[in-house]
Each structure stands twice: as C-alpha cells, then as structure tokens.
C-alpha cells in the first residue's frame, strides 16, 4: 500500500536520479536563441544550474567529478555492413575515456549520486574522431528543451532541507506522462558497486550510414562484461567508485560490449523519453577494453569536450532537438571552465 511517506521517499529517489539528469538536461537547450518568454540561452541555463549546485571554477558544469581512462575498441566486424565509419572495420582503435557521476559538485561522495556516465573518444586510422557521452539511464524523463528546464526548476533544492521538494517533484512527473519509461526505470534501479559493472546508454538516437548512403537509425549501449554486484548498504569512502576502478584495473583490463539496437519503422527516433521495444534487432559491434586509469581530471581526457555531435563519416545525428542542442551548450561549458582554469594559473 502506498503511503504519503513512501510516496515522498520515491519522489526523493526520482529527484536524486532526475537532478543528475536535469543538470545534463539543463545543457540541452537551443543555442540559436532562447525558448519561452524569458529568452533563455545555454549561458543562462548553465548559470542557473551553477547557482543551484554551486560554482566550482575549472570543473565541468555537469558530471564534474570523474577520472580519465584509456584503452582500445576491438571491432567484431558485424556493424561494417551498416556504416562506413572506420571504427567498425579497423581491428583496434585507441580510446580515451572518462567515468563520472552526475552533478556539478566535484566533491560529492561517489555513491551519493545515482547518475553515472561513460564518455569516450575513438580516433581511427583514417583521421576521423568519434565522441560519445553515455549515461546509465536508458531514457530521459522528457522530450523537449522546455520540459528539461521545467525539470531543473522542479529539482531545485529547498533551502530549508537542502533537498528537492517531493510534492514539487510529484507534480512535475504528473504533468509529464512521457516520463513513464524513466520513472519505471528509476523505480527498479539498483546501483551496482562499480563503474565496471554498470551499463551505459547513448539515450539519443543516431544514424549509421552504409556504403550506399542508406541510413540505419540506432541507439547504442555499452554492456558491462563484469558481473553485477549491488552497492553495499553503507559506504564511508567518498572516492569509492574511483578507488574501486583503479583497484580492478590493477588486476587486469575491463570490458564492455558495444551493442547497437536498430529501430524499425514507427519507432520514435527523435524522442529520447520513449524506449524502443525490447525485441528490436541488435548487433554486438565490438568490445571496449579499458586498460588504464589516470589521476582524476589530470589525464588525457581533461581537455576533451565530449560533444556527442563530433561524429565520424558513417555516423550522423538523428533529428532529436535535444541532441541537436547539446553541441553549442557543451562548447559553452567547455569554454567557461577553460577560461577559469587559465585565470587560476595567471593569478598570483
């Protein structure tokens, strides 16, 4: 039986996951002008997010806490008929990556934030670059930039409690029935005890372009080959996930399977809030092998902007308006933290 207390706890759980994604969503606004009567821009949205989560100069404006990793991608060759992208035919492609948790606070305990991310850069031998930012939820709660902004506002912490207002969260989700798939995922979510046994999703759809120019809409998922183990009930180490990853890599490489799911006619290609049916055809395009971890924020990934629209020939974006908006906002966030880092270096 659902009691007010249980409903409040569930709302706060959704808020915890949603807040991490709301920061992500807050960056997904149109760069070529605002929306709504307030004339919001990416710059103003990032300002709002920082005002809510705190200003931390020199850090990413979302997924601020993370660490750099490196390894390679080994293609299976199975996706080669679907895309001319060299990453699907080259035997071994070097990869630079980053694991992170959601939110703008680089000092948050690793296990306090449900949202986890994997960002990757592939560099193939034809000079092409592919960057991708993935998250553990398979879908977003909403479909439009305006709804993202509403979610950010609904997730604003109450000054009295330091947490989002459960009633406000409940009202937001009630007003957005398209959030059903996200809420279903959140209700069943069980955090694992590692970055290594977490799956990561593209969330947005893209198009693979084959040699004839035919487009094949897909979403992708990095499926962990490390078995799932639940997160312990109590964790005192604030760097728990980072320390765990380093310890695992000391024992040997970690692996994920890149699984491409192909859409069928009628599937929502441009709406990240709607999942595709589970029986859709999938292809295991290859294996991601992570071999090394660098010091947090000091490795090769530090100066990378994991803009998901940096795509190689053979992969194109879908018409998802949220995906189309990410690039300019990512650039603003990247430029802002770069300026902050430079200013800190020149100050006496």
């Amino acid at each position: 039986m659902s009691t007010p207390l249980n409903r409040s706890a569930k709302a706060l759980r959704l808020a915890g996951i949603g807040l991490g994604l709301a920061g992500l969503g807050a960056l997904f606004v149109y760069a070529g002008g605002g929306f709504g009567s307030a004339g919001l821009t990416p710059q103003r949205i990032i300002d709002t997010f920082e005002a809510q989560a705190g200003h931390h100069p020199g850090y990413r404006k979302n997924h601020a806490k993370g660490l750099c990793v490196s390894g390679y991608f080994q293609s299976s060759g199975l996706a080669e008929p679907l895309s001319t992208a060299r990453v699907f035919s080259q035997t071994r492609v070097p990869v630079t990556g980053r694991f992170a948790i959601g939110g703008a606070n680089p000092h948050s305990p690793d296990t306090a934030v449900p949202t986890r991310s994997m960002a990757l850069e592939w560099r193939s031998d034809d000079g092409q670059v592919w960057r991708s930012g993935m998250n553990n939820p398979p879908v977003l709660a909403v479909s439009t930039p305006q709804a993202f902004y509403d979610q950010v506002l609904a997730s604003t912490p109450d000054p009295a409690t330091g947490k989002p207002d459960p009633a406000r969260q409940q009202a937001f989700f009630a007003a957005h029935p398209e959030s059903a798939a996200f809420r279903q995922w959140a209700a069943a979510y069980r955090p694992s005890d590692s970055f290594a046994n977490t799956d990561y999703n593209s969330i947005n759809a893209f198009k693979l372009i084959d040699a004839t120019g035919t487009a094949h809409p897909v979403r992708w998922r990095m499926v962990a080959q490390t078995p799932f183990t639940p997160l312990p009930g109590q964790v005192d180490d604030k760097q728990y996930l980072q320390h765990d990853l380093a310890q695992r890599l000391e024992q040997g490489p970690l692996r994920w399977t890149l699984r491409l799911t192909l859409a069928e006619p009628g599937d929502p290609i441009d709406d990240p809030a709607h999942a595709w049916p589970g029986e859709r055809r999938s292809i295991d395009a290859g294996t991601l092998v992570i071999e090394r971890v660098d010091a947090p924020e000091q490795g090769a990934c530090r100066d990378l902007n994991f803009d998901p629209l940096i795509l190689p020939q053979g992969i194109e974006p879908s018409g998802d308006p949220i995906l189309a908006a990410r690039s300019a906002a990512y650039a603003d966030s990247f430029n802002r933290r770069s300026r902050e880092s430079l200013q800190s270096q020149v100050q006496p």
Side-chain angles (χ1 to χ4, degrees):
M1 182 175 181
S2 179
T3 66
L5 181 60
N6 289 336
R7 288 195 296 271
S8 294
K10 182 178 179 181
L12 284 173
R13 185 182 184 191
L14 281 166
I17 299 172
L19 188 57
L21 287 175
L24 180 72
L27 304 182
F28 293 174
V29 294
Y30 290 103
F35 56 82
S37 59
L40 294 170
T41 65
Q43 294 78 16
R44 289 188 63 188
I45 294 295
I46 294 174
D47 287 343
T48 301
F49 184 51
E50 284 195 313
Q52 292 179 354
H55 180 57
H56 301 280
Y59 286 91
R60 298 171 194 263
K61 304 312 174 185
N62 191 35
H63 297 271
K65 185 180 183 182
L67 72 169
C68 301
V69 294
S70 58
Y72 62 92
F73 176 72
Q74 190 166 18
S75 173
S76 68
L78 296 177
E80 189 173 354
L82 300 175
S83 173
T84 59
R86 178 65 173 143
V87 293
F88 297 127
S89 58
Q90 183 177 332
T91 302
R92 183 166 168 152
V93 181
V95 170
T96 299
R98 184 175 186 267
F99 289 97
I101 60 173
N105 185 356
H107 309 297
S108 294
D110 281 357
T111 58
V113 181
T115 307
R116 300 175 186 174
S117 67
M118 171 194 280
L120 298 175
E121 179 191 71
W122 292 259
R123 285 188 173 268
S124 51
D125 57 12
D126 59 354
Q128 297 285 307
V129 177
W130 177 19
R131 293 180 185 171
S132 178
M134 295 163 280
N135 292 273
N136 52 334
V139 293
L140 296 182
V142 291
S143 308
T144 68
Q146 179 64 61
F148 268 127
Y149 181 60
D150 294 341
Q151 186 178 7
V152 173
L153 296 181
S155 300
T156 301
D158 185 331
T161 64
K163 299 179 180 179
D165 180 356
R168 194 175 186 185
Q169 283 280 307
Q170 289 174 342
F172 170 81
F173 286 115
H176 291 278
E178 73 274 20
S179 66
F182 172 80
R183 288 185 282 113
Q184 183 178 10
W185 173 84
Y189 174 67
R190 293 179 62 209
S192 73
D193 66 347
S194 179
F195 283 129
N197 54 18
T198 299
D199 295 346
Y200 303 92
N201 302 277
S202 69
I203 300 180
N204 304 104
F206 294 78
K207 297 177 182 179
L208 303 183
I209 310 300
D210 66 23
T212 69
T214 301
H216 306 275
V218 300
R219 288 172 175 162
W220 55 74
R221 179 182 183 92
M222 283 292 183
V223 181
Q225 295 185 16
T226 302
F228 175 89
T229 305
L231 186 70
Q234 181 175 344
V235 176
D236 297 325
D237 182 2
K238 292 185 176 181
Q239 318 297 327
Y240 180 87
L241 295 177
Q242 294 196 6
H243 289 159
D244 169 85
L245 190 68
Q247 290 168 5
R248 288 175 186 263
L249 286 171
E250 287 177 357
Q251 304 302 313
L254 298 169
R255 292 174 169 83
W256 286 258
T257 299
L258 174 58
R259 184 160 296 159
L260 307 175
T261 299
L262 284 81
E264 293 187 5
D267 288 340
I269 305 302
D270 303 334
D271 188 347
H274 286 82
W276 297 344
E279 63 271 17
R280 290 294 178 259
R281 177 189 173 201
S282 64
I283 293 173
D284 288 351
T287 302
L288 170 69
V289 181
I290 297 299
E291 300 177 294
R292 294 175 297 279
V293 61
D294 298 323
E297 298 304 332
Q298 300 304 315
C301 78
R302 184 193 65 177
D303 297 325
L304 288 181
N305 173 17
F306 290 101
D307 179 347
L309 290 189
I310 296 177
L311 301 169
Q313 294 177 3
I315 305 178
E316 296 180 356
S318 65
D320 186 341
I322 291 173
L323 178 59
R326 290 173 69 179
S327 183
Y330 272 47
D332 180 77
S333 176
F334 176 81
N335 291 338
R336 189 177 299 201
R337 68 183 175 90
S338 297
R339 288 194 303 269
E340 292 166 348
S341 296
L342 182 60
Q343 289 170 357
S344 67
Q345 293 173 10
V346 299
Q347 288 177 353

